[in-house]
């Protein structure tokens, strides 16, 4: 049985392995990074750690949201901490391992990279 934290980005539901999720927070005081790619929203201090914040809408090639402040999910990847800007956090889902399916052939290639 695998557990996932769900997040909505551009109307699409994503699942993040719960073992990688450290925090859910509202990002404040983002500091822009000069010459960083467009998907890097900036860096912030999260409980004494400097965390790189990735704009998931930009990463997926989606337009910027105009409906207020985004939420962020703190994740750990290879010992580094990142904040992922998302539109909305969902719930924790428990899914049986045998319920996994391959990506559909018509899945947008931008989404398939992250699936």
């Amino acid at each position: 049985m695998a557990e996932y934290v769900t997040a909505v980005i551009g109307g699409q539901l994503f699942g993040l392995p719960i073992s990688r999720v450290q925090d859910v927070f509202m990002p404040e005081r983002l500091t822009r990074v000069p010459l960083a790619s467009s998907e890097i929203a900036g860096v912030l201090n999260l409980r004494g750690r400097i965390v790189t914040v990735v704009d998931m809408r930009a990463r997926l090639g989606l337009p910027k949201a105009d409906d207020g402040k985004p939420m962020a999910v703190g994740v750990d990847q290879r010992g580094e901490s990142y904040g992922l800007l998302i539109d909305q956090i969902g719930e924790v889902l428990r899914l049986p391992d045998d319920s996994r399916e391959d990506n559909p052939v018509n899945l947008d290639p931008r989404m398939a990279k992250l699936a």
Side-chain angles (χ1 to χ4, degrees):
M1 188 74 62
E3 292 184 312
Y4 297 90
V5 175
T6 60
V8 177
I9 306 165
Q12 179 71 40
L13 185 67
F14 290 87
L16 303 165
I18 200 166
S19 61
R20 295 261 175 100
V21 175
Q22 298 173 333
D23 300 292
V24 175
F25 58 96
M26 298 293 283
E28 296 179 17
R29 303 182 90 189
L30 268 177
T31 301
R32 298 271 178 217
V33 178
L35 305 176
S37 67
S38 62
E39 54 199 43
I40 302 300
V43 295
L44 57 78
N45 183 331
L46 182 63
R47 296 184 187 94
R49 294 186 328 249
I50 301 302
V51 175
T52 301
V53 180
V54 179
D55 182 345
M56 292 307 295
R57 280 182 160 268
R59 177 77 175 99
L60 294 168
L62 300 173
K64 289 191 178 285
D66 56 350
D67 57 353
K69 289 190 104 179
M71 298 186 76
V73 177
V75 297
D76 181 59
Q77 178 71 20
R78 297 185 195 125
E80 295 290 329
S81 296
Y82 297 92
L84 306 178
L85 292 183
I86 60 171
D87 297 337
Q88 183 180 343
I89 195 73
E91 59 188 333
V92 174
L93 293 179
R94 295 182 64 173
L95 302 174
D97 292 330
D98 61 352
S99 68
R100 282 189 158 183
E101 297 178 4
D102 291 334
N103 289 336
V105 294
N106 62 344
L107 182 64
D108 186 320
R110 296 173 298 186
M111 304 286 181
K113 282 188 207 176
L114 299 175

